[in-house]
Amino acid sequence: MTTTTTLPESVLAVVGPRYREVAVPVEGGELHVGVWEPDVDGAPADAEVHTAVLVHGITASHVSFAALARALPGVRLIAPDLRGRGRSRDLPGPYGMPRHADDVAAVLEHLGVREAVAVGHSMGAFVSIVLADRHPHLVRSLHLVDGGMPLLPPPGVAPQDVAAAVLGPAADRLRRTFPSREAYRDFWRAHPAIGREWDDVVTAYVDYDLVGEEPQLCPATRPAALEEDIRELVDGASVQRALESLPSRPATWFLAPRGLLDEVPPLYADAARDLWTRRLPQMRVVPVEDVNHYTIVLGERGVQQLLPHLEEDLGRSG
């Protein structure tokens, strides 16, 4: 069923008239989903409409794909808030990649999608490869955006501590409260990966992320969801199994040159890139220039570099 929107005006202004919200029944309740329907004005009556499913990162939401949705007006885009995040934050655990993958599969089946191109950012890329492994009939191809390949321990960091070392600042944010929406915007304006790239899409992404009432506003992602999911990004059994089946379908791995704090080395340093390209030689690797882990999807510069590769699968959408 389609929900009555409670989105902030800043979000409505960015998602545009093609957008609608859907609540999809899943185990434990309803998953909140954003759907951008294709703009078919002027298209031939028999033109094929392509579908992509967009899967966001570990502390993000479906609004992180608003810039990509603008760039693909002729494509149907289905973007859930994962369990424990966004407007799906009240769905109960357990979490984990198989649970998220099954939730996404339920969304596609509920909406009558027989096959989709899967685009996953950060943790969403891990969810996407597990989706392709558990529900292979639903996924035509994979686009893994700065995620999907297990993280390697930096020097001196034990495997069980890798994810926390990489994502620690994100976890700290989830435990904070903010007295106002403007205070939360100020937090993000000071963020080294986001502040210099501030625009209306970032504003919408930040505004959508808040829940509660002033002066006790907090980020939507539940800390318990992050804590349960985070270890699977290093050595999760479902991810390892999914990597074994990855050669059975087209896959593209997009890599940002800077990390979560706009730093170098990035999330996938040279050793990680070399390892996974050796193990998966059929996977196409695409370096994305002058972006970080956030702006590879949030920013226009990143989206414009992803776009040609997505359009190969989705059909020209201009």
Side-chain angles (χ1 to χ4, degrees), residues 123-289:
M123 189 189 80
F126 291 81
V127 175
S128 295
I129 64 171
V130 175
L131 171 69
D133 183 53
R134 292 171 69 88
H135 305 275
H137 63 290
L138 291 174
V139 179
R140 188 170 87 214
S141 60
L142 289 160
H143 293 263
L144 311 172
V145 184
D146 218 35
M149 300 300 112
L151 304 177
L152 300 185
V157 177
Q160 65 270 21
D161 298 328
V162 173
V166 171
L167 296 172
D172 293 342
R173 170 174 59 86
L174 300 185
R175 293 180 175 86
R176 291 185 57 180
T177 59
F178 297 84
S180 66
R181 292 188 176 276
E182 193 59 36
Y184 196 48
R185 288 185 182 184
D186 288 344
F187 170 87
W188 280 104
R189 285 191 183 101
H191 195 288
I194 297 292
R196 291 186 294 109
E197 306 288 340
W198 198 272
D199 62 8
D200 61 337
V201 171
V202 176
T203 300
Y205 172 74
V206 169
D207 286 357
Y208 183 80
D209 190 47
L210 278 180
V211 296
E213 300 291 337
E214 296 182 0
Q216 293 291 315
L217 295 166
C218 65
T221 298
R222 293 197 177 275
L226 180 142
E227 290 165 3
E228 188 171 332
D229 289 338
I230 199 169
R231 179 60 196 268
E232 290 196 54
L233 309 189
V234 178
D235 57 5
S238 65
V239 175
Q240 299 293 337
R241 185 168 54 250
L243 289 173
E244 295 175 6
S245 66
L246 192 61
S248 66
R249 70 189 66 251
T252 302
W253 191 28
F254 299 94
L255 293 168
R258 302 192 299 275
L260 281 81
L261 297 175
D262 204 44
E263 80 281 18
V264 178
L267 190 63
Y268 292 99
D270 290 345
R273 299 181 190 206
D274 293 345
L275 171 66
W276 294 115
T277 51
R278 285 198 309 271
R279 291 191 183 181
L280 298 165
Q282 82 294 338
M283 181 172 62
R284 179 170 55 173
V285 179
V286 178
V288 180
E289 298 180 359

Side-chain angles (χ1 to χ4, degrees), residues 279-300:
R279 291 191 183 181
L280 298 165
Q282 82 294 338
M283 181 172 62
R284 179 170 55 173
V285 179
V286 178
V288 180
E289 298 180 359
D290 195 21
V291 296
N292 58 50
H293 184 72
Y294 285 96
T295 59
I296 195 171
V297 292
L298 277 176
E300 188 67 20

Side-chain angles (χ1 to χ4, degrees), residues 5 16 19 39 45 61 119-120 123 156 169 193 218 269 302 316:
T5 186
Y19 176 87
D39 182 354
S61 72
V119 182
M123 189 189 80
C218 65
R316 191 73 191 172

